[in-house]
Amino acid sequence: MPDVELATDTSGGASLQRRGAELTVVVPTLNERANIDLLVARLHKSLLGINWEVVFVDDDSKDGTIAAVRDIASHDYQVRGIRRIARRGLAGACLEGVLSSSAPIVAVMDGDLQHDETCLAAMFETMRGGGADLVVASRYGDDGDANSGLSRLRSGGSRLATHLARLLLKVPLSDPMSGFFMVRRDIVDAVAPRLSRQGFKILLDIVASSPTPLRIREIPYVFGPRLHGQSKLDSLIVLEYLGLLVAKASGDLISTRFLAFGLVGSAGVVVHLSVLHVLLPHGLPFTVAQTAAMFTAMAFNYTLNNTFTYRDQRRHGWRFVTGFAMFAALCSFGVVAGVGVSTLLYTSPSRWWAAGLAAAAVGSAWNYITNSAITWRVR
Ligand code: GDD
Ligand code: MN
């Protein structure tokens, strides 16, 4: 048993180092420079006797977080850092950290000291004993408490999200939004290609995507207040969370991205009609008004999709402009495809709506698939 050996190991760190970590702690960071030192010191204290490492996954923070990590790493082999360029997303950062690990067990925890690191040792004991595939530190257990670290609104919203997740996905978690858990690495490895990289919901995603039910244990903890820096959770992240619920409840048939694309498209229709409504009474020829309406709607859709639907691949500066040209070109083909299909289906005037619906469906599917693949280059 390697763990017994570890406990009685008198040769200290050197032999631990040769053996490779049995636990990787993954810490996503975005502007957490002020918290890094203290967190590493606390991990050393709490994980005594365990062969652990920590990997900080930083989304190119402006405050020099990764430099702080590298400073410590230069004299502490248990500390590593991954610097991600031009990417955002808490779930994706966590996933990347987990995939960089070779340890059999991985933990995910926040880098702002809101998660109580003294829970880690007990979580690890449960995992190592084989008693669970996943241990979640939960804010809503008997003794857990979210209120000290969250505003009233956040706390209420978090509870609502929890109820929705349990209702829609039947996940047996009292705190599915928790960002503090420990899991067998092979479980994440297996579902990794299917996980969403956006937002704050990696735990829920792992549980909902796992082909077989996981053996889950929960331990309560108190979610502490933030000492330095500020929270990155915004309303967009809440929307993404709802999107994930729909995606998982539909068996991944409707992706979050497609849902967002569809919502933007529907808003685009409203913009289109509004422009027509404003321009037509001014005596403009219909073709002119219609062309103006189409371009306005297209620019509107493009900008919104760039901001929300594909925020992880957002195009800036000159690429924003070239992206619009691509988007407009692809959508024009969408119109042609839609008109083609609806002409084929338009067999009697009383069924105009069926042909119209088919055109809308074909056009949107075309626009979504081609723009995902070409304009924003997502899988
Ligand atoms: N790499 C990376 N990229 N890290 C990020 C990003 C990102 O886009 N966004 C946030 N983080 C890091 C933060 O630096 C921090 O270490 C951790 O992720 C959590 O972010 P916070 O902004 O502090 O989140 P919170 O305290 O509001 O939210 C907590 O509660 C949520 C549930 O209400 C976290 O524990 C979440 O995981 C949890 O879902
Ligand atoms: Mn936080």
Side-chain angles (χ1 to χ4, degrees), residues 28-30 32 57-59 88-90 93 110-112 114-115 139 154 158 177-179 200 223 226 230-233:
T29 56
L30 195 60
E32 303 289 359
V57 188
D58 185 59
D59 281 358
R88 270 295 149 80
L90 179 52
D110 289 354
D112 57 3
Q114 287 192 280
H115 290 160
R139 292 166 293 177
R154 270 287 298 275
S158 193
M177 292 284 282
S178 175
F200 278 46
F223 188 61
R226 204 178 227 285
Q230 45 185 268
S231 168
K232 285 95 197 168
L233 190 137

Side-chain angles (χ1 to χ4, degrees), residues 76-314:
D76 184 346
Y77 70 88
Q78 285 169 286
V79 178
R80 291 195 282 132
I82 297 177
R83 177 182 168 206
R84 306 203 310 162
I85 303 286
R87 274 180 295 165
R88 270 295 149 80
L90 179 52
C94 295
L95 185 62
E96 218 157 305
V98 171
L99 295 181
S100 83
S101 158
S102 301
I105 298 172
V106 291
V108 171
M109 79 185 288
D110 289 354
D112 57 3
L113 310 171
Q114 287 192 280
H115 290 160
D116 181 359
E117 76 291 338
T118 59
C119 299
L120 286 169
M123 292 162 83
F124 185 70
E125 270 326 303
T126 308
M127 290 291 302
R128 180 158 59 176
D133 302 320
L134 168 70
V135 182
V136 182
S138 161
R139 292 166 293 177
Y140 304 118
D142 289 342
D143 306 316
D145 183 9
N147 298 330
S148 56
L150 289 180
S151 69
R152 272 266 283 289
L153 185 69
R154 270 287 298 275
S155 177
S158 193
R159 269 170 204 274
L160 180 66
T162 301
H163 287 306
L164 279 175
R166 280 151 80 172
L167 197 74
L168 283 174
L169 306 182
K170 319 236 174 324
V171 292
L173 292 169
S174 58
D175 189 5
M177 292 284 282
S178 175
F180 190 16
F181 57 92
M182 206 177 274
V183 63
R184 271 176 32 210
R185 187 181 47 79
D186 61 322
I187 287 174
V188 185
D189 253 334
V191 295
R194 292 209 297 279
L195 298 181
S196 157
R197 273 153 306 209
Q198 295 304 308
F200 278 46
K201 63 249 161 178
I202 183 162
L203 170 66
L204 175 62
D205 206 0
I206 292 171
V207 175
S209 304
S210 194
T212 49
L214 301 178
R215 291 171 308 138
I216 304 173
R217 294 273 291 273
E218 297 190 326
I219 66 157
Y221 82 104
V222 179
F223 188 61
R226 204 178 227 285
L227 298 182
H228 303 282
Q230 45 185 268
S231 168
K232 285 95 197 168
L233 190 137
D234 54 21
S235 42
L236 215 60
I237 285 174
V238 177
L239 275 181
E240 280 171 0
Y241 176 83
L242 293 177
L244 181 84
L245 290 184
V246 173
K248 291 298 163 190
S250 72
D252 279 325
L253 209 61
I254 307 170
S255 77
T256 318
R257 223 189 271 282
F258 183 64
L259 213 62
F261 196 86
L263 280 178
V264 169
S266 317
V269 172
V270 176
V271 169
H272 188 132
L273 295 180
S274 312
V275 174
L276 274 184
H277 180 77
V278 170
L279 289 185
L280 281 179
H282 295 292
L284 277 183
F286 183 76
T287 5
V288 176
Q290 171 69 8
T291 308
M294 268 177 62
F295 270 100
T296 315
M298 210 123 68
F300 170 87
N301 281 14
Y302 173 70
T303 311
L304 248 63
N305 279 321
N306 193 53
T307 310
F308 301 112
T309 316
Y310 303 97
R311 71 198 288 230
D312 52 333
Q313 308 283 335
R314 199 175 287 166

Side-chain angles (χ1 to χ4, degrees), residues 1-13:
M1 278 294 287
D3 23 305
V4 178
E5 257 178 68
L6 272 181
T8 54
D9 190 344
T10 49
S11 54

